[in-house]
Amino acid sequence: MNLIPLIAAAVLPFVAVTQAETLKPFTVRQGIPNATVKLRNGSDFTIVLIGGSITKGGGKNGFSETIPAWLQEISPAAKIKHINAGINGTDSDFGAARTDRDVLAHNPDLVFVEFAVNDASNDRTRAMERIVRKIWTADPATDIIFLQTISEDQLETYKKGELPKGAASHEKVADFYGIPTITLAAGVVEKLGAGANWKDIMRDGAHPNEQGYALYLEQIREAILEISEAGSPGRTLQAETLTPDLKLYPDPVAAQPLPSATPLKTVDGTVAKETYVLPTAGEHWRQEHEYKADGQNLWAAYSQPYKAGDDRKGGKLDESFGLSRTAWIPMGWIEERGAFDGPEGMQLWKGNMLSARENDLPVLAFIAPESGRYAFQVRAGNTGFNSHHKQIALNVVHFPWGKEVGSSIAFFKTDKSEKKTPELSFEAELKAGEFVAFCVDADVNYGGGTAGFKDLEITAGLLP
């Protein structure tokens, strides 16, 4: 059974752009022959879509939902599952760093890559080639399609029949490796040339509305009509690379020993008999979400979702936030970035920068190594806001031994107009193994951006 007759009945013809002959709606190259065979034979089939917010968003209208649904419709015997690996505001450089975790871990049969808007005017040849070679090193039978979306500030370039620098670098990689590309910008240019306004198909400068996603899907379906007919099953990854001296993975970096801490001194002059400073993420603290000293857990990095029940909901920005740890999720480590991130895939903890990002609210926890009275000092060099974020709070919560619910023992809050930095000093009586959690809360969980503390310092001292 051929895939194409099934597809043909499901789509309408998509007319190529006439304003600029050089702006092709799609380029077939070597097609997706392995995926075509699997869909035709009714095999288990996994699609991963990696990209930025255009991939992540759109809900039921977004092509992360509609493309797999359409392929399932025209390949009813196949057992299709899909993974939306879009992360808002991210480019192909970060995409290459997370390919193993967000793509290869799912053993995909077909991967859609969408970074043209966020790569903007940057040459991302190296990053896109790393994505391709990581995928094909793991399994050369995995097929790949590049999607080239459009932002309003790229419109004039596309109208000239040219590609912005980012998309042009994608095209160079695609041409070198024979990967199909679908230039979704071509459909937008044609639509506008026929009399539509930008706002008819886009809800802002880059993100499609329902009509825009429908336009994208129409073009994708029409392209796959031809792309799925090209090439022969099987593939061998060529030894030659487009980028000279291309490295798929950076050389491993070992954690550095944490220097001896300057003894903590309280406001009344008491000097701690043992002092514990927050390690630097990526330098002294790597890989594991728990930091050990002499084999004992001393610090831990978690995130908690913005929305996880009324008792844990973010955006409270008061002492009632973070009092339950039942929703804590260990931060994950991205070796290539030298950073920890949350479940949404956004960087939360790197160097001495602790950030809240959309649905991920970070938690750094000190774990008392022995029983006694501890003094704490918390400082930051800068408080920053980006995009929609306008408020941030830090609630310090003590969790008694064996308890999942704690109580606030210190609190800080500021907003975008003030940009105050935390300056907290407090004491707490702790049993060995008890947690003192530094919980960051922010005011929004959508639309990209971040709020966080730079040059964060947390020092704990066991008092005599």
Side-chain angles (χ1 to χ4, degrees), residues 353-406:
M353 179 72 186
L354 185 66
S355 303
R357 292 179 179 269
E358 299 194 14
N359 195 45
D360 288 342
L361 300 172
V363 177
L364 294 179
F366 172 74
I367 306 168
E370 58 181 285
S371 299
R373 188 158 189 84
Y374 287 79
F376 292 86
Q377 294 176 353
V378 182
R379 297 183 178 89
N382 177 265
T383 300
F385 299 90
N386 179 262
S387 189
H388 299 284
H389 292 82
K390 297 178 181 178
Q391 292 182 298
I392 189 171
L394 177 66
N395 194 27
V396 183
V397 182
H398 170 218
F399 289 92
W401 177 255
K403 301 295 183 183
E404 300 296 325
V405 176

Side-chain angles (χ1 to χ4, degrees), residues 93 114 129 215 308 376 424:
D93 189 50
E114 175 271 313
E129 187 174 17
L215 177 65
F376 292 86
L424 301 175

Side-chain angles (χ1 to χ4, degrees), residues 204-215:
D204 55 25
H207 300 92
N209 57 23
E210 183 177 348
Q211 290 72 31
Y213 274 116
L215 177 65

Side-chain angles (χ1 to χ4, degrees), residues 175-188:
D175 197 50
F176 187 81
Y177 287 99
I179 295 169
T181 54
I182 305 177
T183 305
L184 299 170
V188 174

Side-chain angles (χ1 to χ4, degrees), residues 3 10 19 29 167 215 245 264 310 316 329 355 419 450 453:
L3 181 68
Q19 293 94 328
R29 297 191 176 93
L215 177 65
D245 302 319
L264 180 146
D310 292 339
K316 291 183 176 181
I329 301 168
S355 303
K419 287 189 177 180
T450 179
F453 301 113

